[in-house]
Amino acid sequence: MASNENATRVERNAAFQEIKDNHPENKVCVDCGRANPQWASPNLSCFFCIDCSGRHRSLGVQISFVRSCTMDTWTKRQLAAMKAGGNHGLKQFLKDQNFPNDLLLELKYSSRAFDLYRDNIKALTEGRTPSPIPKIGFTEEDKTRWSEPKAPERASGNMKAMVFFCFFPILFSLLKKQMSDFPPYL
């Protein structure tokens, strides 16, 4: 069982070198296939590129906890999680669960099946035996977990436009007027 103690930079770099050398699938982004990914998610145990890292960050830390492989500190437990799965394990899981290839990243990683996958990665890092994951796949319930209401989204977008086009010109005119009240510098 790995500890929550921070790994040194040397330990971190050696762990990532070993993970990538032993499993060539970890040398490409799990989502788009771009070479040399420098970002990872310990709770999904996968590597991805900088573009996909932004998408993973938008999912929330409960779904994909995003870390830089080179800039962030890693705990020994997080490194153990990366060793437990990797891109190959995640892709095999997707195949076993019959996930559609063209499924949006947000829908894929927020599914019930991935909740169980994350639990298994956690179990492996804690030294417990992971539970077998039944074939759940991507369900109708999963589609509704990330469905966004359209009307409130449009309303918030309209509100942003109203603030930008109405409030800021008024604010700038007030600031300009207040600035003209000051005597000029000599």
Side-chain angles (χ1 to χ4, degrees), residues 107-155:
L107 294 173
K108 178 181 5 178
Y109 293 124
S110 65
S111 69
R112 175 68 184 130
F114 264 98
D115 289 343
L116 299 173
Y117 182 81
R118 281 186 289 276
D119 289 344
N120 278 0
I121 294 296
K122 185 176 180 181
L124 287 169
T125 61
E126 293 174 350
R128 295 183 287 121
T129 303
S131 304
I133 299 175
K135 189 170 185 173
I136 300 171
F138 186 72
T139 65
E140 288 298 317
E141 178 188 328
D142 291 328
K143 288 180 186 177
T144 61
R145 287 176 94 176
W146 263 85
S147 63
E148 298 175 344
K150 299 300 179 203
E153 184 178 320
R154 270 190 237 118

Side-chain angles (χ1 to χ4, degrees), residues 14-16 18-19 23 45 78-86:
F16 283 129
E18 176 189 340
I19 292 167
H23 301 283
S45 184
Q78 290 169 333
L79 291 174
M82 294 305 297
K83 290 178 182 178

Side-chain angles (χ1 to χ4, degrees), residues 32-171:
C32 72
R34 186 176 291 162
N36 198 23
Q38 295 297 311
W39 296 84
S41 174
N43 59 345
L44 287 174
S45 184
C46 64
F47 293 90
F48 37 82
C49 68
I50 185 121
D51 292 336
C52 292
S53 74
R55 295 173 63 201
H56 275 260
R57 280 188 193 281
S58 71
L59 300 175
V61 296
Q62 74 281 6
I63 294 175
S64 183
F65 182 59
V66 178
R67 311 288 296 152
S68 167
C69 296
T70 57
M71 295 181 288
D72 290 328
T73 58
W74 285 70
T75 65
K76 293 179 179 182
R77 181 173 288 173
Q78 290 169 333
L79 291 174
M82 294 305 297
K83 290 178 182 178
N87 290 1
H88 175 73
L90 190 139
K91 287 187 175 196
Q92 186 62 49
F93 174 76
L94 288 169
K95 185 178 176 184
D96 293 345
Q97 291 287 326
N98 288 333
F99 271 76
N101 290 334
D102 60 347
L103 192 60
L104 291 173
L105 184 131
E106 295 82 5
L107 294 173
K108 178 181 5 178
Y109 293 124
S110 65
S111 69
R112 175 68 184 130
F114 264 98
D115 289 343
L116 299 173
Y117 182 81
R118 281 186 289 276
D119 289 344
N120 278 0
I121 294 296
K122 185 176 180 181
L124 287 169
T125 61
E126 293 174 350
R128 295 183 287 121
T129 303
S131 304
I133 299 175
K135 189 170 185 173
I136 300 171
F138 186 72
T139 65
E140 288 298 317
E141 178 188 328
D142 291 328
K143 288 180 186 177
T144 61
R145 287 176 94 176
W146 263 85
S147 63
E148 298 175 344
K150 299 300 179 203
E153 184 178 320
R154 270 190 237 118
S156 67
N158 289 340
M159 181 60 77
K160 290 176 190 172
M162 185 178 79
V163 168
F164 183 78
F165 289 112
C166 297
F167 176 72
F168 285 117
I170 294 168
L171 178 65

